Amino acid sequence: KTGEVKQLKITDSNGSPYTPKESLFFHSHIGSDEAGTGDYFGPITVAAVFIEESKIPLLKKLGIRDSKTLTESAIKRLAKKIIEAEIPYASLVLPNEKYNKLQQSGWSQGKMKALMHHHAIEYVKKKITNQQYDGIIIDQFCQPDVYKRYLRSENLTPQEKTFFVTKAESKSIAVAAASLLARTKFVDEMDRLSRVVGLELPKGAGQQVDKTIARFIQIYGREKLTTCAKIHFANTQKADKYL
């Protein structure tokens, strides 16, 4: 508990415009999170969720919490409950072919995530035009100034009242809900890709992934990897020893 409270304090002596007051977690706000960024196979997925203050007790009662503490079946079950509760949300998928093209054209994964978070939040805002919210919380994956720079490079303006929190899914119920939806979308996409290629595509970026890449190349050839993998990961080279 003490560690959590410390993380909420503004460490900058002048105060940080990107760190929210702790009270924001208990009021109406939008939260966003992503999944799939460290996995060799599969896309990146991002979800954004709007939680009304009056709905916070309901979501807590449903057991909505950080997806990293839950099994895959529990994540899917809770994601379904979020949708059934008619919570406004948006989820986006960056397919592997587009991911690889952007990466090869000079985009960092951080820039891709920034753009996806921005667009997911915009979609949610369009769904709640008549509702007030006190802020937007993004699960922090880069420094706020870097996030803003990524958006401005594509002529986009960061949304007002946007805050960045590390491990936000353990503090904000909206980010926790977003993490569940993003993870469910990622798992669904992995299942779909596995069916398409006729191989069980493993998650993560470990040795099992390297072995699966080698098997994939033997069946389909190296070029086809762009359709289901993040080919700039070191696993692409590591797989050579299994060929």
Side-chain angles (χ1 to χ4, degrees):
K1 285 279 182 188
T2 313
E4 281 183 21
V5 173
K6 277 182 182 172
Q7 283 182 344
L8 291 172
K9 286 182 181 173
I10 294 168
T11 50
D12 189 295
S13 57
N14 301 316
S16 166
Y18 305 117
T19 304
K21 290 180 181 176
E22 193 175 343
S23 59
L24 178 57
F25 301 127
F26 309 104
H27 292 123
S28 301
H29 65 283
I30 295 170
S32 67
D33 202 359
E34 79 277 335
T37 57
D39 298 85
Y40 177 80
F41 287 112
I44 291 178
T45 58
V46 169
V49 178
F50 168 66
I51 304 293
E52 255 181 291
E53 187 178 332
S54 62
K55 290 276 181 80
I56 291 175
L58 166 68
L59 290 183
K60 285 186 174 173
K61 193 177 175 183
L62 289 175
I64 303 305
R65 60 183 192 273
D66 178 6
S67 66
K68 293 179 188 69
T69 67
L70 298 163
T71 63
E72 223 153 75
S73 59
I75 289 169
K76 283 196 168 191
R77 180 172 48 78
L78 289 171
K80 192 179 176 191
K81 285 185 177 181
I82 292 166
I83 294 164
E84 285 171 352
E86 297 185 345
I87 303 294
Y89 78 96
S91 59
L92 300 178
V93 176
L94 179 61
N96 291 96
E97 280 181 295
K98 189 170 182 184
Y99 175 98
N100 290 314
K101 281 177 184 170
L102 289 171
Q103 195 274 328
Q104 285 160 3
S105 72
W107 283 44
S108 67
Q109 196 184 81
K111 180 172 178 177
M112 295 180 214
K113 289 193 281 187
L115 272 287
M116 289 181 77
H117 276 268
H118 178 81
H119 288 305
I121 291 163
E122 282 294 301
Y123 286 132
V124 170
K125 281 176 66 182
K126 284 175 184 172
K127 290 183 176 183
I128 59 163
T129 48
N130 60 339
Q131 289 168 284
Q132 295 295 312
Y133 60 90
D134 292 353
I136 298 163
I137 298 173
I138 293 174
D139 187 43
Q140 185 168 334
F141 56 87
C142 68
Q143 289 301 310
D145 285 336
V146 175
Y147 177 89
K148 288 168 76 175
R149 193 165 70 238
Y150 286 145
L151 295 191
R152 284 175 182 150
S153 71
E154 298 301 312
N155 299 313
L156 294 168
T157 307
Q159 290 102 347
E160 290 180 13
K161 301 189 286 188
T162 295
F163 303 100
F164 299 83
V165 179
T166 53
K167 297 182 180 172
E169 64 276 20
S170 63
K171 299 161 190 164
S172 155
I173 196 96
V175 177
S179 80
L180 293 168
L181 292 169
R183 185 69 191 171
T184 297
K185 195 72 172 170
F186 173 73
V187 171
D188 288 347
E189 283 296 305
M190 283 289 279
D191 291 344
R192 185 186 66 79
L193 286 169
S194 293
R195 287 194 301 272
V196 168
V197 301
L199 287 172
E200 185 64 40
L201 299 177
K203 299 174 187 73
Q207 191 181 44
Q208 189 54 45
V209 167
D210 302 341
K211 291 176 178 176
T212 305
I213 297 165
R215 181 87 184 106
F216 183 97
I217 290 170
Q218 286 165 348
I219 299 169
Y220 296 107
R222 200 174 289 271
E223 293 73 28
K224 266 285 193 189
L225 279 171
T226 59
T227 64
C228 61
K230 303 174 185 78
I231 58 172
H232 66 105
F233 278 31
N235 301 81
T236 305
Q237 281 70 49
K238 287 180 185 175
D240 288 347
K241 65 181 175 185
Y242 299 108
L243 287 168

